[in-house]
């Protein structure tokens, strides 16, 4: 499948995704997009589809890597595997969505439940009472160095990307909590 081809080029041996072939960093939102694409495909893919097992393995490797990189406050970082990078709202929202969906649908085990809960609390702390968003990475094309990703500015205030991803996470948490 196209997603498996994408993963062969961008998923690192540790399970994280580089932003692009020429973007040598585990950019937070890039990992979020990878996770969302995979869960959306798995959600509609028939159980007997010949590519399903491979896609589930890509997803599980990614979630295990993501789980290991979660900050103590529940957030994931602008550069996922760099503890000095800022905690980023869209990465957290998308990864939370992907992980909660996998839990809800039985693709990953219950050891991920505390990770999802912690991420939900971290995400909530990045959405202000008036709906503005705290720490959303500015638009990011692929860059040539780790430093390029590390230095991307954080937006605080109104942001369509951040708001949309927070709403997506909230909807998935609603479904997760119903189960």
């Amino acid at each position: 499948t196209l997603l498996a081809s994408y993963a062969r080029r961008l998923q690192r041996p540790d399970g994280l995704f580089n932003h692009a072939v020429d973007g040598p960093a585990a950019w937070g939102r890039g990992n979020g997009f990878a996770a969302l694409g995979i869960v959306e495909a798995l959600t509609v893919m028939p159980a007997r589809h010949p590519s399903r097992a491979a896609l589930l393995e890509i997803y599980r490797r990614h979630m295990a890597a993501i789980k290991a990189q979660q900050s103590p406050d529940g957030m994931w970082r602008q550069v996922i595997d760099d503890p000095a990078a800022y905690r980023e709202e869209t990465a957290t929202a998308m990864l939370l969505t992907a992980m909660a969906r996998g839990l809800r649908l039985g693709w990953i085990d219950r050891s991920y439940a505390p990770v999802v809960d912690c991420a939900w609390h971290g995400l909530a702390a990045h959405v202000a009472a008036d709906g503005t968003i705290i720490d959303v990475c500015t638009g990011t094309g692929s860059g040539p160095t780790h430093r390029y990703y590390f230095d991307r500015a954080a937006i605080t205030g109104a942001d369509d990307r951040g708001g949309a991803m927070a709403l997506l996470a909230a909807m998935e948490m609603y479904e997760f909590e119903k189960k």
Side-chain angles (χ1 to χ4, degrees), residues 1-8 17 34 37-39 41-42 45 55 58:
T1 69
L2 184 59
L3 288 173
S5 174
Y6 170 78
R8 278 191 296 280
F17 280 79
I38 292 167
V39 299
L42 286 169
M45 186 179 274
L55 202 54
I58 292 164

Side-chain angles (χ1 to χ4, degrees), residues 109-174:
D109 66 52
R110 297 300 301 170
S111 71
Y112 287 86
V115 179
V116 167
D117 185 58
C118 191
W120 179 239
H121 291 288
L123 178 62
H126 281 75
V127 179
D130 67 358
T132 60
I133 307 298
I134 300 163
D135 292 336
V136 174
C137 177
T138 190
T140 303
S142 76
T145 66
H146 174 274
R147 189 82 210 177
Y148 168 82
Y149 292 93
F150 186 85
D151 289 340
R152 302 303 294 165
I155 298 166
T156 293
D159 185 87
D160 294 342
R161 291 167 296 219
M165 293 303 111
L167 287 171
L168 183 65
M171 292 184 322
E172 187 59 46
M173 285 303 292
Y174 175 77

Side-chain angles (χ1 to χ4, degrees), residues 38-134:
I38 292 167
V39 299
E40 289 299 328
L42 286 169
T43 300
V44 299
M45 186 179 274
R48 296 182 191 263
H49 192 283
S51 298
R52 187 172 179 81
L55 202 54
L56 269 171
E57 178 56 27
I58 292 164
Y59 168 77
R60 289 176 179 142
R61 284 185 53 232
H62 192 205
M63 292 299 101
I66 290 300
K67 180 181 180 184
Q69 296 296 329
Q70 188 178 40
S71 299
D73 65 354
M75 299 291 288
W76 281 282
R77 295 174 180 88
Q78 161 60 3
V79 178
I80 296 283
D81 57 349
D82 187 337
Y86 66 86
R87 281 125 166 106
E88 206 277 336
E89 186 270 348
T90 61
T92 300
M94 290 191 284
L95 294 168
L96 160 63
T97 300
M99 196 173 283
R101 173 103 39 103
L103 262 168
R104 181 169 61 84
L105 298 178
W107 304 333
I108 52 178
D109 66 52
R110 297 300 301 170
S111 71
Y112 287 86
V115 179
V116 167
D117 185 58
C118 191
W120 179 239
H121 291 288
L123 178 62
H126 281 75
V127 179
D130 67 358
T132 60
I133 307 298
I134 300 163

